[in-house]
Amino acid sequence: MGKIRNIGIIAHIDAGKTTVTERMLYFSGRIHRLGEVHEGTATMDYMPEEQERGITITSAVTSCYWADKTINIIDTPGHVDFTIEVERSLRVLDGAIGVFCAVGGVEPQSETVWRQSESYCVPKLVFINKMDRLGADFEAVLESMADKLGIKSLPVQVPNGSGEDFSAVYDVIRMKKLVFEQDSNGEQFEVLDLDAQDEEFLSPWRERMCEVLSEVDDEFMERYLEDDIDAKYIEEVIRKATLALKLVPVFAGSALKNVGVQPLMDGVGKYLPSPLEAPKVSGINPKTGVEQVVEPVVSAPFQALAFKVVMDSGRKMVLMRIYSGKIEAGDMVKNFTQGKEERVARLFRMHAGRKERLDVAGIGDIVCAAGLKETRTGDTLSTSDVPLVLEQIEMYKPVISMAIEPRNVDESDKLEEVLDKYLQEDPTLALKTDEDTGQIILSGMGELHLEVVLDRMRREYKLDPRSGKPQVVYLEVPGKYAEAEEEFNKMLGEDKHYGFVRLAVEPQDRGSGRDVVFEIDTGEWSSDWMDAVEEGVDDGLQSGVIKGFPVQDVKVRILELRKRDGESSIPGYHMAAGKALKAALAASSPKLMEPIMDVEVSVPDEFVGEVIGLLGAKGARIENMLDRNNQKIVHALSPLRNMFGFSTELRSATQGRAGFVMKFHSFDVLA
């Protein structure tokens, strides 16, 4: 276990994550031919949709062997529509490599995924990639990391030149020069002693490294002052500080040109934690509410987190990370999240789209299991008799929806079945049926997200449903405090059903969700009737009174219930609660909330005026403007409904020289 490294590659779109992973697999001997993202031949981008677009859509798992270490790698997407893929990968990783472009620096999605990794206390390395590109600036990226991410960076490698002049990297710890031979695909590299010019260039970097280490380790400072440090001791101190999240070692290179990847792989083994050193996970006993730490012990009961569900040729496969004990093919496991028992029919180790059979898996392993029909993303699997639910994976609200319908009656049942499979795979997809039109409404995180689902449907299941234009997902919120009461008194079948509910609704702060509070003497009432009232309210909140969108940021107060002997019933209170809620919402001057997007446009100085004018026409509010690498960066907040087609308009207004990224910021009241 001490020799396992579970790592993820995280970054902004196009920073080079997949290319870095491809080189790691090649240099470790896991693959024998280099694939390229731009040619659609990268190992980790195995889906046709990824190969066509040249982007990573789904996080892919693989493993390789380097020196004496087993490295399990998850290559994550950089596109904001697939943020859940990063979130659930980070949840099960012990360490990560942040890849930053030497030209673009810390870009918006880099910032998002970095913050996600910090919330899980994941130790990280940084690889500053694309040093061979025109405009590459190593020191500017270090400054950008400090400003935007608050990172205390520690360059353990620095580049020799940049752009066309980039040819080698310096090892700051050993004070050596590493020159990579292009004739051998970078497999061979020379380790050279420094000449006088190299020494002069590298000495300030060495001093800087020692100063940073002195700040985080008192013993190092004493030994440094006594001139009693060697490379091995420096690496020990760096490892200790990295695991304690005090600093981030920085490497440099160009994955595409095969420069600097092997030292990065050495760094994974030296500085990132094994499953035994990673922060321990804890869970909650659902019966007692007591928190319990999961110890990484082989003799302990098997505990694992299912972090991803994939459909493989129509069969459900569950990817899981094992935290304690071991599991064998054929074992029965308990799903404490769903309260069910299932059999692990087969176990596999994943290599992107391919699987290798396993008989047994243990602590620290990231494996794929077949046979778990009921398991979903975020479920806890165990063989323990003591129930324990590990921390759930955070979910995201969809912001965009699309109406789809089958082309004929024969397709109808198959479409529902296929959509159910995609919903099991992807928790950020949502589905509902429009009551007025009978159309299926599919919701997701962005236009690309929904487009990929439709593409997969055509390719994997030969289904081509009709689809409408993407529409924005709205939420409803009460505008003020309002009360209402409703009585239900009807014959249903042969029985009389009665219920009376008086309740109030009031708005809450943005993002606070929904609360249902009983302000009655609960001792007088049957728990079944109170549950019926709460279910009636919950059902009513799924569909508001303006346009039927879900109601959010609301507190519902149950003020009064009345009963009739022999007639009060569960359906009666359920129906009365639902009707009272609708009446109270209608009286509360409800408002629509829409998704507001965080937009960042990078544009040459001469087109700034056009970009600001274009954003103004979209109803956007300019938040900030910065200079970065001879370009202006314009930050704005804009309603999503106005941003359809923005990329085409931006290209036209700037002669194709501006780029933009957009991510969800918040829901707010429609202006």
Side-chain angles (χ1 to χ4, degrees):
M1 285 184 286
K3 296 187 185 301
I4 293 176
R5 299 290 182 271
N6 289 319
I7 65 163
I9 314 282
I10 58 173
H12 186 84
I13 191 168
D14 279 345
K17 299 178 299 301
T18 302
T19 307
V20 169
T21 311
E22 192 75 9
R23 269 50 185 180
M24 292 174 81
L25 295 176
Y26 179 71
F27 293 135
S28 66
R30 191 71 167 83
I31 58 174
H32 303 291
R33 189 176 68 83
L34 278 174
E36 302 295 358
V37 173
H38 56 273
E39 293 172 2
T41 55
T43 306
M44 302 303 274
D45 286 350
Y46 62 91
M47 290 169 65
E49 290 78 14
E50 296 176 313
Q51 292 161 1
E52 286 164 17
R53 292 173 173 81
I55 62 169
T56 302
I57 289 169
T58 180
S59 51
V61 182
T62 188
S63 59
C64 63
Y65 305 95
W66 184 251
D68 61 342
K69 305 290 189 294
T70 299
I71 304 177
N72 295 321
I73 306 169
I74 300 184
D75 176 28
T76 63
H79 197 287
V80 68
D81 282 16
F82 309 106
T83 302
I84 184 67
E85 291 286 340
V86 185
E87 183 80 38
R88 56 188 177 183
S89 299
L90 287 169
R91 175 67 184 78
V92 299
L93 293 172
D94 302 326
I97 299 173
V99 179
F100 297 139
C101 171
V103 180
V106 180
E107 295 166 285
Q109 187 64 1
S110 309
E111 210 171 326
T112 302
V113 295
W114 194 272
R115 303 265 181 243
Q116 285 172 317
S117 73
E118 288 191 328
S119 69
Y120 291 120
C121 300
V122 176
K124 292 170 286 292
L125 309 179
V126 162
F127 183 64
I128 298 179
N129 192 25
K130 304 191 179 184
M131 283 305 308
D132 58 312
R133 287 235 341 242
L134 184 67
D137 190 333
F138 183 75
E139 292 193 57
V141 180
L142 294 178
E143 285 174 25
S144 177
M145 286 159 57
D147 292 345
K148 293 191 170 182
L149 305 175
I151 295 174
K152 188 185 278 277
S153 60
L154 184 79
V156 293
Q157 265 183 12
V158 293
N160 178 26
S162 63
E164 288 182 3
D165 298 332
F166 176 64
S167 58
V169 294
Y170 292 107
D171 182 337
V172 186
I173 297 173
R174 287 176 172 72
M175 295 295 278
K176 299 285 185 184
K177 185 176 185 177
L178 312 182
V179 180
F180 291 77
E181 294 175 15
Q182 290 306 304
D183 296 343
S184 66
N185 274 340
E187 282 185 75
Q188 308 297 324
F189 61 91
E190 285 187 272
V191 180
L192 305 177
D193 291 329
L194 305 182
D195 59 26
Q197 191 177 350
D198 292 333
E199 190 93 41
E200 187 182 344
F201 168 76
L202 203 54
S203 291
W205 287 103
R206 171 79 171 196
E207 270 181 50
R208 172 179 171 169
M209 182 180 77
C210 292
E211 284 169 14
V212 170
L213 291 175
S214 297
E215 287 172 20
V216 298
D217 192 295
D218 292 339
E219 186 191 335
F220 181 88
M221 184 194 288
E222 291 171 19
R223 289 183 60 166
Y224 175 52
L225 293 172
E226 294 167 7
D227 203 19
D228 178 26
I229 56 172
D230 58 18
K232 192 168 183 299
Y233 175 64
I234 292 173
E235 286 173 352
E236 286 171 11
V237 175
I238 294 173
R239 178 177 178 76
K240 193 165 77 173
T242 305
L243 297 188
L245 306 178
K246 291 181 179 177
L247 53 78
V248 178
V250 178
F251 296 78
S254 166
L256 191 64
K257 292 284 166 48
N258 307 310
V259 176
V261 177
Q262 295 97 319
L264 175 68
M265 294 170 75
D266 290 336
V268 169
K270 287 174 184 172
Y271 307 129
L272 292 182
S274 72
L276 298 175
E277 298 160 311
K280 289 176 183 169
V281 299
S282 59
I284 301 288
N285 184 322
K287 290 182 179 174
T288 63
V290 175
E291 187 173 352
Q292 181 184 328
V293 172
V294 177
E295 297 288 345
V297 179
V298 179
S299 57
F302 165 75
Q303 298 273 10
L305 182 77
F307 69 95
K308 185 174 177 180
V309 172
V310 291
M311 291 296 170
D312 180 37
S313 305
R315 291 193 306 275
K316 184 173 179 178
M317 311 293 284
V318 176
L319 283 161
M320 58 184 177
R321 158 70 195 265
I322 301 172
Y323 289 103
S324 75
K326 63 177 183 176
I327 188 77
E328 293 183 24
D331 283 357
M332 294 295 292
V333 295
K334 294 168 186 167
N335 183 329
F336 284 129
T337 314
Q338 306 282 354
K340 294 180 178 170
E341 218 171 308
E342 297 192 90
R343 183 183 298 281
V344 176
R346 291 183 303 285
L347 287 170
F348 302 95
R349 193 179 298 288
M350 297 297 289
H351 178 48
R354 299 206 316 272
K355 302 186 294 292
E356 297 164 2
R357 285 286 287 267
L358 285 175
D359 294 324
V360 64
I363 299 169
D365 282 337
I366 293 176
V367 293
C368 183
L372 303 172
K373 294 187 175 67
E374 304 293 331
T375 300
R376 293 184 172 251
T377 296
D379 286 0
T380 301
L381 302 170
S382 179
T383 56
S384 172
D385 294 328
V386 180
L388 185 73
V389 176
L390 299 174
E391 183 189 348
Q392 293 270 308
I393 294 166
E394 187 184 341
M395 298 307 172
Y396 293 84
K397 289 191 182 78
V399 296
I400 196 166
S401 62
M402 176 190 286
I404 58 174
E405 57 185 32
R407 292 191 179 272
N408 53 54
V409 178
D410 294 341
E411 276 195 359
S412 182
D413 290 343
K414 190 176 179 185
L415 180 62
E416 287 185 21
E417 186 186 318
V418 168
L419 285 170
D420 182 58
K421 287 179 177 176
Y422 288 143
L423 286 173
Q424 289 185 49
E425 276 193 32
D426 188 346
T428 55
L429 283 174
L431 206 60
K432 71 171 187 177
T433 304
D434 189 301
E435 291 174 9
D436 298 328
T437 64
Q439 287 177 315
I440 296 168
I441 309 296
L442 181 66
S443 305
M445 299 300 291
E447 285 181 88
L448 178 62
H449 190 196
L450 297 182
E451 189 185 303
V452 165
V453 171
L454 291 178
D455 279 358
R456 286 185 61 193
M457 230 181 264
R458 292 183 195 106
R459 179 178 58 80
E460 294 171 2
Y461 297 99
K462 305 295 184 282
L463 272 178
D464 190 11
R466 283 192 288 267
S467 59
K469 286 186 176 175
Q471 304 286 323
V472 173
V473 172
Y474 294 94
L475 296 175
E476 295 185 21
V477 64
K480 62 182 183 183
Y481 180 91
E483 284 186 26
E485 60 184 55
E486 285 289 339
E487 183 178 67
F488 185 82
N489 185 14
K490 279 188 181 174
M491 292 290 293
L492 295 175
E494 297 180 1
D495 297 322
K496 188 80 176 278
H497 291 275
Y498 178 81
F500 175 93
V501 178
R502 182 167 67 89
L503 54 74
V505 297
E506 62 181 83
Q508 297 200 101
D509 293 339
R510 291 286 169 270
S512 52
R514 308 161 171 169
D515 287 323
V516 180
V517 182
F518 284 85
E519 297 185 353
I520 57 172
D521 182 358
T522 54
E524 288 182 33
W525 294 90
S526 153
S527 62
D528 290 344
W529 291 350
M530 288 171 59
D531 288 346
V533 170
E534 191 163 353
E535 281 176 24
V537 169
D538 284 343
D539 289 349
L541 292 175
Q542 302 305 319
S543 175
V545 293
I546 305 176
K547 290 188 178 178
F549 292 108
V551 183
Q552 201 65 22
D553 301 339
V554 59
K555 178 178 273 190
V556 182
R557 301 176 185 275
I558 311 299
L559 303 175
E560 185 184 355
L561 305 179
R562 293 180 196 164
K563 58 184 164 187
R564 281 187 189 170
D565 289 342
E567 294 182 5
S568 291
S569 69
I570 289 173
Y573 288 110
H574 186 282
M575 299 299 290
K579 289 169 70 179
L581 178 75
K582 296 290 185 195
L585 287 172
S588 73
S589 306
K591 299 184 172 103
L592 277 181
M593 289 203 301
E594 64 178 335
I596 305 297
M597 308 305 283
D598 194 336
V599 183
E600 183 176 290
V601 182
S602 51
V603 58
D605 286 352
E606 61 263 38
F607 293 110
V608 169
E610 285 84 346
V611 167
I612 289 174
L614 188 57
L615 287 168
K618 296 288 183 187
R621 188 175 80 232
I622 307 296
E623 295 285 298
N624 203 353
M625 206 178 304
L626 307 164
D627 287 301
R628 187 197 295 159
N629 295 334
N630 304 319
Q631 286 205 318
K632 281 280 190 290
I633 306 297
V634 183
H635 280 277
L637 294 177
S638 174
L640 175 60
R641 65 189 150 93
N642 296 339
M643 295 304 289
F644 292 106
F646 179 71
S647 57
T648 307
E649 294 171 48
L650 181 67
R651 279 197 296 271
S652 302
T654 62
Q655 298 175 13
R657 294 178 63 194
F660 89 106
V661 287
M662 183 168 73
K663 63 181 179 184
F664 174 71
H665 179 267
S666 61
F667 274 95
D668 214 336
V669 173
L670 200 58

